[in-house]
Amino acid sequence: MLRTIFLVAAALMAVILGAAWWLLIADSKAPETAPGLFAVEDWRALMPEDASTLPTEIRVLEVGRDKAPGFAARAGGFGTDWNTTYNSIQIVWPDRTLVIDGAVDADTAIGMKQSEADWAFDEPAYETLLAAMLAADQVLITHEHLDHVMAVARHPDPAALAPRLVLNAPQIAALAVFARGTLDPAIANLAPRLDGTVQLVAPGVVIVPAPGHTPGSQLVFIRTRDGRETLLIGDVAWSLDAVEMLTTRPVLTQYMIFDPNEDRAAVKAQLRALHDLMATNPDLIVIPAHDGNLIVGLIADGHLTEGFRN
Ligand SMILES: [Zn+2]
Ligand SMILES: [Zn+2]
């Protein structure tokens, strides 16, 4: 009898450990190679010859913040914290601006709260973002998830915003899903202005399609007037160490967070391509949208400027 109980307990333990391994660690490593996936030479070839047309600075506006365990952003990253930032990026020329991503509004931020102690939402910053979108020549998003679109989907003046929106077809199709509400017709009936190819959208700003995390995911490659190159990768990775360590999110996120699921194989291949791109281009600054520690460091270094210019 005792032996039977012991065997059943051991079998149960094996099942639990196996499930934990599968949910938290398995299937997270990037492949050995991802040749030709991100060809930076093609992006550079689109950049204007005249450096005086390039943007002068890249600014970041934090709308919300939170903290989650590091293993949520990188499988196996136990014992670390992931300081999560929700933000928007403003690319600045002397005579115009371009805004990337719509962050979260208060309702969405509350709904996503992870840490009672570290969560914060900055309502004045959100108001600044809404105004900056109407002052911008163009407004783009890295992808269609709820924490990147709210200032677009729930903008109080959709008719004024719509002509500025430069979105791709999958992003427009998914806005209603992730906005979790009824879209104004001016937003719902947008025509795509990105065609799914690598495209220069403004002098110094190249859009690079990267479907995987979502169908409409894309990278934003920026060259500023000082010659520096920056790559916004949205949520291909949630923290830069995931790229550096070639390890994506745990399988658990597929069940707890993503609906519909990511294309996990595509994301893993993109991690490999980004990792190799960083190795061969050590001066390239790669920025995952939610990596709070990285962004604080880039502000301190002067690579990013804190807050939006109005
Ligand atoms: Zn996302
Ligand atoms: Zn996100």
Side-chain angles (χ1 to χ4, degrees):
M1 183 65 184
L2 260 183
R3 185 166 182 273
T4 305
I5 292 172
F6 175 78
L7 286 174
V8 168
L12 264 179
M13 185 61 77
V15 167
I16 289 167
L17 287 175
W21 173 82
W22 169 250
L23 289 170
L24 297 176
I25 295 173
D27 191 28
S28 60
K29 291 293 179 189
E32 289 297 314
T33 62
L37 188 54
F38 292 142
V40 70
E41 303 76 22
D42 295 349
W43 315 343
R44 288 180 176 140
L46 294 175
M47 290 294 180
E49 303 246 319
D50 181 358
S52 72
T53 64
L54 297 175
T56 51
E57 63 177 344
I58 303 172
R59 308 186 71 111
V60 59
L61 177 71
E62 183 174 81
V63 170
R65 64 172 65 178
D66 209 343
K67 184 182 280 188
F71 69 79
R74 175 175 59 82
F78 303 112
T80 62
D81 287 325
W82 168 33
N83 288 309
T84 318
T85 173
Y86 298 102
N87 57 57
S88 181
I89 297 285
Q90 185 186 48
I91 304 173
V92 178
W93 293 259
D95 58 346
R96 73 198 127 116
T97 59
L98 183 155
V99 170
I100 311 275
D101 273 351
V104 281
D105 60 2
D107 280 352
T108 313
I110 290 167
M112 296 175 68
K113 186 188 287 185
Q114 297 289 318
S115 163
E116 211 51 62
D118 297 287
W119 180 91
F121 180 76
D122 185 342
E123 186 64 41
Y126 186 69
E127 296 294 327
T128 297
L129 171 56
L130 293 173
M133 284 190 165
L134 295 188
D137 271 19
Q138 300 179 64
V139 174
L140 293 90
I141 57 176
T142 58
H143 66 294
E144 54 271 35
H145 275 160
L146 74 170
D147 51 323
H148 299 259
V149 301
M150 286 309 172
V152 171
R154 296 180 177 172
H155 198 286
D157 192 350
L161 178 65
R164 294 169 166 77
L165 289 172
V166 179
L167 307 183
N168 63 38
Q171 291 174 347
I172 295 169
L175 265 187
V177 177
F178 290 110
R180 297 179 176 175
T182 307
L183 287 181
D184 187 276
I187 306 292
N189 300 324
L190 284 174
R193 293 173 66 189
L194 295 169
D195 63 12
T197 64
V198 175
Q199 280 179 275
L200 183 81
V201 294
V205 183
V206 171
I207 296 299
V208 181
H213 177 63
T214 64
S217 286
Q218 56 192 10
L219 316 182
V220 184
F221 180 60
I222 306 157
R223 181 182 288 167
T224 38
R225 204 166 292 187
D226 55 14
R228 290 190 294 189
E229 292 176 331
T230 302
L231 186 63
L232 309 178
I233 65 167
D235 286 4
V236 174
W238 278 340
S239 56
L240 192 61
D241 66 356
V243 179
E244 292 163 342
M245 299 173 75
L246 290 162
T247 308
T248 189
R249 292 166 277 263
V251 169
L252 183 66
T253 56
Q254 308 284 344
Y255 298 107
M256 284 189 62
I257 296 175
F258 300 131
D259 182 21
N261 269 347
E262 296 185 294
D263 179 342
R264 198 169 173 82
V267 171
K268 290 192 296 180
Q270 290 165 4
L271 284 188
R272 165 55 72 181
L274 289 170
H275 173 275
D276 294 358
L277 192 62
M278 289 175 67
T280 50
N281 297 270
D283 293 333
L284 176 67
I285 302 293
V286 174
I287 308 178
H290 299 302
D291 192 330
N293 290 356
L294 175 76
I295 289 173
V296 165
L298 290 172
I299 292 169
D301 290 350
H303 190 86
L304 297 174
T305 309
E306 191 171 17
F308 273 8
R309 192 191 76 180
N310 283 319

